[in-house]
Amino acid sequence: MRLDDLWHDKGWDLSDYSASEFVQDACDMADQTDSLPEQVGESVPQALAMRAASQKSGAEALRAGVPLLCPKWTKALKKSLSGRYDRWITDDTYDIGASPTQIPPGTYRTEGDIADCYWERTAANGDIIDNGLANVARKITVHISATDSTFTSEGCGVWTPVH
């Protein structure tokens, strides 16, 4: 396959993967994310960005392989590699910033049958800037500032950016 020849020629570091295995796994992950976005808890470009960041040569392999193995995800890959894509938030604590493992500042919303949702914005020194607890809600909106250090969500569902 042409992609694996390129992998050998370029000396891409993909750990225990061949380029075609690495890219096919990303294509399958994009398909799954697209079919069950609320369950997966991330956008397709977000999933591809995380996959690219998982290996030293991940971005190069995806840039060469996605147009060959799953061309329908080429546009999503371009967004992911540019860093300009929606990042979704699920239950966890996230640093605020621009890398694929961080959440950019902005306004986020979660909707649905929300029960026992706790969220929290914290400063670099660990002080709580703002937080909320909703026993029952249909919609919650939070603004995360560039000066925030972390955002934590527990039991709130999926937060998506408000445009």
Side-chain angles (χ1 to χ4, degrees), residues 18-72:
S18 70
S20 57
E21 291 169 333
F22 180 79
V23 174
Q24 187 59 58
D25 185 58
C27 295
D28 294 344
M29 184 175 50
D31 288 337
Q32 180 182 11
T33 300
D34 187 53
S35 66
L36 302 167
E38 294 297 318
Q39 192 172 22
V40 174
E42 59 189 8
S43 65
V44 172
Q46 183 177 6
L48 291 171
M50 294 295 287
R51 186 69 179 143
S54 73
Q55 299 293 324
K56 187 173 182 176
S57 300
E60 293 88 351
L62 292 180
R63 189 176 289 115
V66 166
L68 297 172
L69 299 181
C70 52
K72 72 179 182 179

Side-chain angles (χ1 to χ4, degrees), residues 4 6 20 57 68 71 75 89 104 130 143 145 150 158:
D4 286 333
L6 188 59
S20 57
S57 300
L68 297 172
K75 186 175 179 180
I89 304 170
D130 194 12
H143 180 75
S145 298
T150 62
V158 177

Side-chain angles (χ1 to χ4, degrees), residues 75-147:
K75 186 175 179 180
L77 177 66
K78 286 180 183 177
K79 280 184 175 183
S80 74
L81 296 178
S82 76
R84 293 185 300 272
Y85 58 90
D86 285 345
R87 291 182 183 94
W88 298 1
I89 304 170
T90 56
D91 287 352
D92 207 343
T93 297
Y94 298 88
D95 291 330
I96 308 306
S99 82
T101 59
Q102 297 175 317
I103 299 301
T107 302
Y108 293 84
R109 179 174 297 134
T110 184
E111 299 182 65
D113 294 327
I114 303 164
D116 300 321
C117 162
Y118 177 77
W119 61 268
E120 174 180 292
R121 297 172 41 227
T122 57
N125 65 4
D127 287 349
I128 296 173
I129 298 168
D130 194 12
N131 65 353
L133 175 62
N135 292 323
V136 177
R138 296 287 303 146
K139 182 187 324 183
I140 303 171
T141 303
V142 171
H143 180 75
I144 299 172
S145 298
T147 55

